[in-house]
């Protein structure tokens, strides 16, 4: 049964269902988690200044992104390990997104490969790319995504090195997993996950691995030896992205922008869109929150780029505030993983509907009949 009414209830249910290591990988930030808390404080500091008596019915959340019309200004963000919160979790999440009428973006670090997701869903998906240390490996993955119907490529550029997340080390949640009395006990006390997720992978033919990784980097979650996890491009620069633009025939989106000058560089190299994001507070501790820099970035690029945003969204009113500050749509990460952990595609779909309903309430209360009527005049800073 899908029994939650909001983000916080879903978070608590997911926390109870998942082993600690997996839950904290999703839930927590990096360093002292200043950025994680700052994201929330900045949402709370932005206050809605509603209009009244505007005849705000009927309302529509429809939005056009890259020539496609979607039911709501929401996207299922690329997230690592959706396949560890539920068996084939990426497919469950993608099916929920298709049912709700919003885009799903598959991740480089997915447990399920982009081809399998695309085949299972039957609708076009987006694909997120981390650049490899060898450029030909990145190009091979891009070509694989294109062959499987992806026409929007999201290049994540805010992770030149791996972030320091001490809780992953303490939980043994590195790749490969490290066995300890603590995490063995953790899994043993979550038998539904052990049987329903890990057990099903074993029954299907083996332990889960990063299905999109090149063979020489791929390993299952327990493997030790020569195989290694993602090796980031140490010399990632704008020329790397420019070469991708030259070779990629579809829409190109740059994820991880927090500065107006970087947004203008993305425009200069031919990107079609950007995602204003601090990686959910998971990468650089002390980084600014997207909502506080979004207006300046949106003003700088105008309508020359499709501006999207994410990080820290928990309520429909958060979505409303990002839209008012210049985002065309908002990516959802943790919230959809919690929903998926609770009940697969049904849980993810419930979370989408909850957030969509909350956004509708914010629009109605503020006198907005369409997304175009949501603007900065509806916000004040506390």
């Amino acid at each position: 049964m899908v029994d939650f009414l909001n983000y916080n209830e879903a978070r608590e249910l997911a926390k109870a269902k998942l082993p600690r290591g997996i839950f904290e990988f999703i839930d927590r930030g990096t360093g002292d988690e200043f950025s994680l808390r700052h994201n929330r404080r900045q949402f709370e500091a932005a206050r809605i200044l509603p209009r009244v008596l505007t005849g705000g019915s009927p309302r529509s959340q429809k939005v056009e992104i890259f020539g496609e019309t979607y039911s709501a200004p929401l996207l299922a963000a690329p997230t690592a390990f959706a396949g560890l919160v539920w068996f084939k979790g990426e497919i469950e999440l993608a099916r929920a997104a298709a049912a709700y009428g919003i885009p799903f973006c598959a991740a480089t670090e997915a447990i399920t490969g982009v081809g399998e997701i695309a085949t299972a869903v039957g609708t076009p998906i987006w694909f997120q790319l981390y650049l490899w240390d060898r450029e030909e490996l990145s190009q091979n993955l891009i070509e694989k995504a294109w062959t499987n119907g992806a026409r929007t490529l999201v290049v994540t550029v805010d992770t030149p090195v791996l972030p320091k997340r001490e809780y992953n080390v303490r939980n043994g949640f590195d790749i490969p997993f490290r066995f300890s009395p603590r995490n063995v006990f953790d899994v043993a006390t979550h038998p539904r996950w052990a049987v329903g997720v890990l057990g099903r992978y074993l029954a299907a033919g083996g332990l889960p691995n990063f299905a999109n990784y090149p063979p020489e980097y791929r390993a299952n979650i327990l493997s030790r030896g020569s195989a290694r996890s993602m090796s980031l491009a140490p010399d990632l620069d704008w020329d790397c992205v420019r070469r991708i633009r030259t070779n990629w025939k579809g829409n190109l989106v740059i994820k991880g922008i927090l500065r107006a000058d970087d947004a203008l560089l993305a425009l200069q190299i031919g990107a079609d869109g950007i995602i204003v994001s601090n990686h959910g507070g998971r990468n650089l501790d002390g980084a600014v929150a997207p909502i506080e820099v979004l207006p300046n970035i949106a003003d700088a690029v105008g309508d020359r780029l499709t501006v999207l945003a994410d990080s820290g969204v928990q309520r429909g009113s958060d979505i409303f505030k990002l839209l008012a500050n210049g985002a065309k749509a908002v990516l959802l990460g943790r919230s959809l993983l919690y929903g998926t952990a609770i009940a697969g595609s049904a849980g993810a779909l419930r979370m989408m509907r909850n957030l969509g309903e909350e956004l509708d309430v914010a629009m109605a209360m503020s006198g907005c009949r369409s997304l175009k009527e949501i603007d900065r005049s509806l916000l004040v800073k506390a």
Side-chain angles (χ1 to χ4, degrees):
M1 183 175 66
V2 184
D3 186 21
F4 61 88
L5 297 178
N6 55 54
Y7 175 95
N8 285 322
E9 289 185 2
R11 179 182 178 275
E12 289 303 312
L13 289 171
K15 184 177 182 180
K17 283 179 172 286
L18 296 173
R20 176 175 177 169
I22 293 176
F23 176 77
E24 290 198 346
F25 177 87
I26 297 166
D27 188 70
R28 298 191 61 181
T30 189
D32 293 320
E33 300 183 309
F34 172 85
S35 289
L36 187 71
R37 298 188 299 274
H38 186 62
N39 284 346
R40 287 311 309 161
R41 285 196 294 263
Q42 289 300 304
F43 275 121
E44 292 163 2
R47 308 291 173 81
I48 299 172
L49 186 65
R51 302 186 188 98
V52 298
L53 299 176
T54 60
S57 180
R59 291 174 301 283
S60 172
Q61 294 184 18
K62 288 185 178 180
V63 63
E64 184 178 305
I65 304 173
F66 303 137
E68 299 290 333
T69 300
Y70 300 102
S71 65
L74 309 175
L75 297 91
T79 51
F81 294 170
L84 286 183
V85 304
W86 193 272
F87 179 68
K88 301 287 186 181
E90 290 93 356
I91 291 176
E92 297 288 309
L93 184 45
R95 284 173 171 162
Y100 196 64
I102 63 174
F104 168 82
C105 187
T108 292
E109 293 196 297
I111 300 299
T112 308
V114 60
E116 187 177 352
I117 298 170
T119 299
V121 176
T123 57
I125 62 174
W126 296 17
F127 185 72
Q128 174 267 339
L129 176 73
Y130 281 114
L131 293 175
W132 300 90
D133 55 351
R134 290 162 49 195
E135 200 162 318
E136 70 271 16
L137 299 179
S138 298
Q139 188 57 40
N140 291 341
L141 188 50
I142 291 170
E143 291 172 0
K144 183 177 180 180
W146 179 269
T147 300
N148 283 284
R151 294 298 179 265
T152 298
L153 181 68
V154 177
V155 180
T156 298
V157 297
D158 62 359
T159 315
V161 296
L162 294 176
K164 188 178 182 183
R165 300 172 184 161
E166 290 98 336
Y167 52 90
N168 282 347
V169 177
R170 291 297 180 200
N171 291 330
F173 201 69
D174 294 319
I175 298 298
F177 284 178
R178 291 182 294 102
F179 286 112
S180 69
R182 176 176 175 173
N183 58 32
V184 169
F185 177 79
D186 190 19
V187 171
T189 54
H190 293 83
R192 291 180 62 184
W193 180 87
V195 174
V197 180
L198 193 58
R200 290 183 68 184
Y201 282 117
L202 289 170
L207 288 165
N209 61 61
F210 296 114
N212 292 317
Y213 275 28
E216 57 266 49
Y217 287 5
R218 191 180 305 164
N220 70 56
I221 61 173
L222 299 179
S223 290
R224 301 179 185 277
S226 60
R228 54 193 173 118
S229 61
M230 181 180 66
S231 181
L232 300 169
D235 298 318
L236 175 63
D237 60 17
W238 286 103
D239 284 336
C240 298
V241 183
R242 187 177 285 107
R243 288 192 291 274
I244 291 174
R245 173 70 287 176
T246 299
N247 295 320
W248 176 255
K249 300 184 287 293
N251 309 304
L252 180 65
V253 178
I254 311 300
K255 182 178 185 292
I257 299 293
L258 289 171
R259 298 172 56 102
D261 52 357
D262 279 342
L264 291 171
L265 284 171
L267 176 65
Q268 181 181 325
I269 64 104
D272 301 286
I274 57 172
I275 300 174
V276 181
S277 169
N278 70 2
H279 220 102
R282 294 168 53 78
N283 273 12
L284 173 63
D285 203 25
V288 296
I291 193 172
E292 64 185 321
V293 296
L294 179 57
N296 189 38
I297 292 172
D299 288 345
V301 302
D303 60 2
R304 295 175 293 173
L305 282 176
T306 295
V307 178
L308 310 172
D310 70 11
S311 299
V313 172
Q314 297 183 8
R315 287 283 190 177
S317 57
D318 297 339
I319 298 166
F320 183 95
K321 293 170 185 179
L322 289 173
L323 297 175
N325 273 318
K328 191 163 191 178
V330 174
L331 287 83
L332 305 173
R334 290 181 177 95
S335 60
L336 299 188
L337 290 180
Y338 298 150
T340 304
I342 294 164
S345 61
L349 185 58
R350 167 62 71 87
M351 181 61 76
M352 294 171 192
R353 287 174 174 163
N354 285 352
L355 291 169
E357 289 167 4
E358 292 172 2
L359 175 58
D360 182 68
V361 169
M363 291 175 65
M365 294 289 188
S366 303
C368 299
R369 287 169 288 188
S370 71
L371 301 182
K372 292 181 180 179
E373 296 178 8
I374 303 175
D375 60 33
R376 232 170 283 171
S377 71
L378 294 166
L379 295 183
V380 294
K381 189 73 180 280

